[in-house]
Amino acid sequence: MITLALSKGRIFDETLPLLKAAGIEVLDDPEKTRKLILATNQPDVRVVLVRATDVPTYVQYGGADLGITGKDTLLEHGSDGLYQPLDLQIAKCRISVAVREGFDYAAAVRQGSRLTVATKYVAIARDFFATKGVHVDLIKLYGSMELAPLTGLADAIVDLVSTGNTLKANHLVEVEHIMDISSRLVVNQAALKLKQEPIRRIIDAFASVVEPK
Ligand code: PRP
């Protein structure tokens, strides 16, 4: 049995064409079922639905053989025990610093004042500001980061930006582009050795869609 860990939503939807290239069709719609283990048209391949931030954990400890996860999640989790053969170039977005409209970010950074930064991406934010030599106090949040500068909880946020609509709707502006994000295929290293043939077949099929030859 090959187990693939996916999260619901954008990553799941954008993975379907990749699975199709590997001849795999998921038999249930995750938005319509309460099941967490989804069968596929291939009796020896199944999909497990996990929280996006849990995908690297499942694959690292062998709860799943393979998984698809954002670069953001991987950087926060660390990639111990994970083989990363492919950038799938799906679920593309960026991770940025944003502040309230009218907040003079450049001056705050120039003056060397301590910035308070709220984020779900503590490791990425810590590395980014350390490289810039900016002192920051980090506040860990689990969602709705946009509220932090509006309520005075923080001066800035570090968050994912895709269309920019969420920032705009909350009168926030992007002031730094930290990095581009896309989803990666991650593979459990022991599984790759033990189930080499079927896992290689999936990796190769995904690769043929991502980088057509
Ligand atoms: C992300 C991010 C922003 C939003 C950005 O949240 O945290 O809130 O998307 O997208 P936009 O630039 O297209 O408006 P997501 O919907 O992934 O949910 P989350 O709050 O659980 O991270």
Side-chain angles (χ1 to χ4, degrees):
M1 178 63 73
I2 298 292
T3 303
L4 171 67
L6 292 178
S7 51
K8 281 206 251 185
R10 199 167 156 200
I11 288 184
F12 185 91
D13 298 342
E14 295 189 22
T15 298
L16 291 180
L18 300 171
L19 289 173
K20 201 170 167 205
I24 301 167
E25 266 174 61
V26 184
L27 300 179
D28 280 297
D29 178 348
E31 302 303 332
K32 292 189 183 144
T33 178
R34 304 288 296 176
K35 283 193 233 169
L36 297 173
I37 300 182
L38 308 183
T40 73
N41 63 334
Q42 305 211 3
D44 58 343
V45 180
R46 63 180 185 174
V47 167
V48 291
L49 295 175
V50 303
R51 284 285 293 265
T53 43
D54 292 335
V55 168
T57 308
Y58 268 83
V59 178
Q60 179 179 8
Y61 294 110
D65 301 305
L66 306 121
I68 296 180
T69 181
K71 182 181 173 186
D72 51 326
T73 306
L74 264 182
L75 287 172
E76 288 298 316
H77 176 89
S79 37
D80 274 4
L82 298 174
Y83 170 56
Q84 296 180 50
L86 280 178
D87 176 351
L88 299 170
Q89 294 174 38
I90 60 169
K92 284 187 177 179
C93 55
R94 56 192 183 273
I95 193 156
S96 297
V97 181
V99 298
R100 221 170 354 99
E101 281 170 9
F103 178 83
D104 195 344
Y105 174 78
V109 167
R110 211 173 32 241
Q111 286 154 14
S113 40
R114 281 189 89 88
L115 274 186
T116 306
V117 177
T119 187
K120 184 153 81 173
Y121 304 100
V122 172
I124 293 172
R126 187 185 295 115
D127 279 3
F128 175 74
F129 287 108
T131 305
K132 275 178 76 78
V134 174
H135 295 289
V136 290
D137 292 313
L138 292 169
I139 298 178
K140 166 93 183 181
L141 290 178
Y142 294 87
S144 302
M145 260 82 78
E146 294 82 5
L147 265 179
L150 305 178
T151 54
L153 182 68
D155 302 313
I157 59 172
V158 167
D159 195 10
L160 295 179
V161 181
S162 177
T163 59
N165 290 341
T166 309
L167 291 181
K168 210 166 168 193
N170 290 292
H171 307 285
L172 301 176
V173 288
E174 224 173 327
V175 287
E176 302 251 27
H177 173 169
I178 299 182
M179 67 178 80
D180 288 325
I181 298 292
S182 56
S183 290
R184 316 286 154 131
L185 178 64
V186 290
V187 184
N188 177 279
Q189 284 177 342
L192 183 63
K193 287 195 191 109
L194 294 170
K195 307 177 189 178
Q196 194 164 15
E197 202 276 325
I199 290 180
R200 274 282 161 213
R201 200 156 17 95
I202 293 173
I203 296 173
D204 291 347
F206 283 9
S208 73
V209 181
V210 176
E211 297 147 340
K213 287 173 191 119

